[in-house]
Amino acid sequence: MNRAYNYITVDSPNIPLIAEQENGAPFGQFIPLQPDALGPLLAPVKSQDMFLPNFTLRAFEGKMPTDVVFYDQQGRGLDMLGSCIFRKGKVKTFLPHGEVDIVSYNGSHNFKFDPNNEFRHLCQADTELNFIHISYTPQFFHQLLPENEPWAEKLKTKIDKKERLVGDHFAAISLAQEQALANIFSTPLTGKLGYMMIETSVIQLILLQMYSLFHKEEAFRQPAANKRDTELIQELKHYLNSTYLDDHSISALAQRFGTNTNKLMTLFKKMFGKSIFEYITDQRMEHARRLLREEGLLVTEVSRNIGYKNPNHFSTAFKKRFGVQPTAFIRR
């Protein structure tokens, strides 16, 4: 880990599965943690857990008053798998052995299996965080994965061998995952039907996550590049995450990162499974969705904001990306 940071450590285990009678709480209901459960400095942060027959969920919301590193200090739940969905916030995940670290962003998700307790997750001070972490057993996870799919079989093999596993990037939350999250936090049903609906929504979240992160063969390959090339492409991705609204050209990007255009395009495609401009388009569309949903801007305003001269062309591209017209997202 970069020791230049001054931070406090927050214990962040995969919460083990428990039965209803063990804590007196019914399945499918969030249980608030005590305000000082995460330590006195994080008392203003809201954290609550939910228990289901096959999953545990931790919902976390608040602003970090200081740099914080999330880490399983006591090594609990190391045999559990974890899915993390970031609705808001930025967290840097440090990987061991000098590997390139991974940075989350608003509206993204990733998966981890960390049997040797090697990952550290840094959130810098004054960062608004809103995320949900889901824990579950390898045995149940194996039941979810499809049979005779090479990517699923590789996942099972790595987990059975207790090899650590993490997505090589944080993927954007899809519309279907947004709908599943809405069912978790505001299910219209109660009692057993309610928690069954929540559990079904959790399964949908995880299956969509697995497909987006691992179904491509490239997800299991080490990039055919040296460490410097890998770091260069990660730096490019991080740069694009903050400048995707700018008018980029391949030649200008290659000049900025001190390489040639062919190498830049080839390495980026190999590492992330999409071209540089496909990645930029994805970021712009996610930005457009946030503007529609959170700011309530008009379609013409959003279209102009992300670089479309013709709102109809924007609407066509938006529907292709999310399956609905942009007007469906406008805040009422």
Side-chain angles (χ1 to χ4, degrees):
M1 182 183 298
N2 186 341
R3 299 297 178 183
Y5 289 109
N6 292 316
Y7 56 83
I8 63 172
T9 302
V10 174
D11 193 18
S12 180
N14 285 336
I15 313 300
L17 298 177
I18 64 170
E20 289 178 273
Q21 62 270 20
E22 290 184 52
N23 69 349
F27 286 145
Q29 293 186 16
F30 278 113
I31 307 164
L33 297 185
Q34 293 299 318
D36 61 349
L38 301 173
L41 284 176
L42 298 183
V45 172
K46 177 183 178 183
S47 186
Q48 49 189 348
D49 293 340
M50 177 191 291
F51 298 93
L52 296 164
N54 296 296
F55 304 99
T56 55
L57 288 72
R58 171 159 288 180
F60 191 99
E61 184 175 6
K63 180 181 286 189
M64 302 293 100
T66 184
D67 290 357
V68 169
V69 166
F70 294 95
Y71 163 52
D72 189 349
Q73 292 176 286
Q74 301 181 46
R76 293 168 293 166
L78 296 181
D79 58 337
M80 306 281 282
L81 311 181
S83 293
C84 202
I85 296 93
F86 281 90
R87 306 170 95 180
K88 184 181 291 186
K90 181 179 179 181
V91 173
K92 185 172 185 178
T93 297
F94 292 92
L95 303 180
H97 313 309
E99 296 174 46
V100 177
D101 304 320
I102 307 169
V103 180
S104 73
Y105 53 90
N106 288 347
S108 65
H109 64 90
N110 208 340
F111 164 87
K112 74 176 180 68
F113 178 48
D114 187 21
N116 297 316
N117 204 16
E118 297 174 294
F119 298 155
R120 307 290 186 272
H121 314 283
L122 171 71
C123 178
Q124 292 183 299
D126 298 320
T127 299
E128 289 279 358
L129 270 187
N130 184 342
F131 70 82
I132 180 170
H133 184 273
I134 306 167
S135 303
Y136 41 99
T137 66
Q139 295 75 19
F140 186 79
F141 181 63
H142 283 7
Q143 298 175 38
L144 298 181
L145 293 178
E147 298 291 338
N148 303 319
E149 290 279 354
W151 65 271
E153 294 302 322
K154 289 180 180 179
L155 273 178
K156 293 177 184 178
T157 299
K158 282 182 171 290
I159 292 169
D160 287 343
K161 291 182 177 180
K162 295 190 180 300
E163 296 180 10
R164 62 180 179 80
L165 190 60
V166 64
D168 62 4
H169 66 288
F170 277 79
I173 299 174
S174 67
L175 178 61
Q177 287 175 311
E178 289 273 18
Q179 293 169 338
L181 283 169
N183 287 337
I184 291 171
F185 284 93
S186 57
T187 175
L189 303 176
T190 59
K192 185 173 182 179
L193 287 178
Y195 82 66
M196 288 175 65
M197 182 176 182
I198 293 172
E199 180 142 308
T200 301
S201 299
V202 172
I203 292 172
Q204 290 173 349
L205 271 174
I206 293 171
L207 290 178
L208 290 164
Q209 180 179 75
M210 293 305 103
Y211 187 78
S212 66
L213 291 174
F214 298 112
H215 84 281
K216 292 181 180 179
E217 186 70 17
E218 289 83 357
F220 293 94
R221 295 177 183 163
Q222 292 297 324
N226 57 39
K227 182 179 178 181
R228 174 56 195 150
D229 286 343
T230 303
E231 290 176 347
L232 181 148
I233 297 304
Q234 287 282 0
E235 290 170 7
L236 169 60
K237 182 170 80 76
H238 296 162
Y239 174 70
L240 295 177
N241 285 345
S242 60
T243 64
Y244 53 80
L245 294 179
D246 293 351
D247 187 14
H248 291 299
S249 70
I250 292 296
S251 58
L253 289 171
Q255 184 176 7
R256 180 182 182 88
F257 287 91
T259 188
N260 63 69
T261 56
N262 184 61
K263 181 177 181 178
L264 200 70
M265 292 186 295
T266 300
L267 287 175
F268 194 94
K269 177 78 172 180
K270 182 173 292 185
M271 187 170 293
F272 298 115
K274 60 183 68 176
S275 73
I276 291 172
F277 288 109
E278 287 173 337
Y279 185 79
I280 290 173
T281 298
D282 284 350
Q283 298 306 303
R284 289 179 176 178
M285 285 297 169
E286 290 296 333
H287 181 70
R289 183 171 67 162
R290 288 193 294 271
L291 291 177
L292 292 164
R293 183 181 57 197
E294 298 174 11
E295 304 294 333
L297 298 186
L298 298 176
V299 171
T300 52
E301 295 175 300
V302 175
S303 172
R304 195 163 51 245
N305 183 281
I306 69 168
Y308 280 83
K309 296 179 180 179
N310 188 324
N312 291 330
H313 293 168
F314 163 68
S315 295
T316 299
F318 190 94
K319 184 175 181 180
K320 182 178 180 180
R321 176 76 166 81
F322 296 111
V324 295
Q325 292 289 348
T327 49
F329 276 94
I330 295 178
R331 187 181 66 188
R332 304 301 178 185

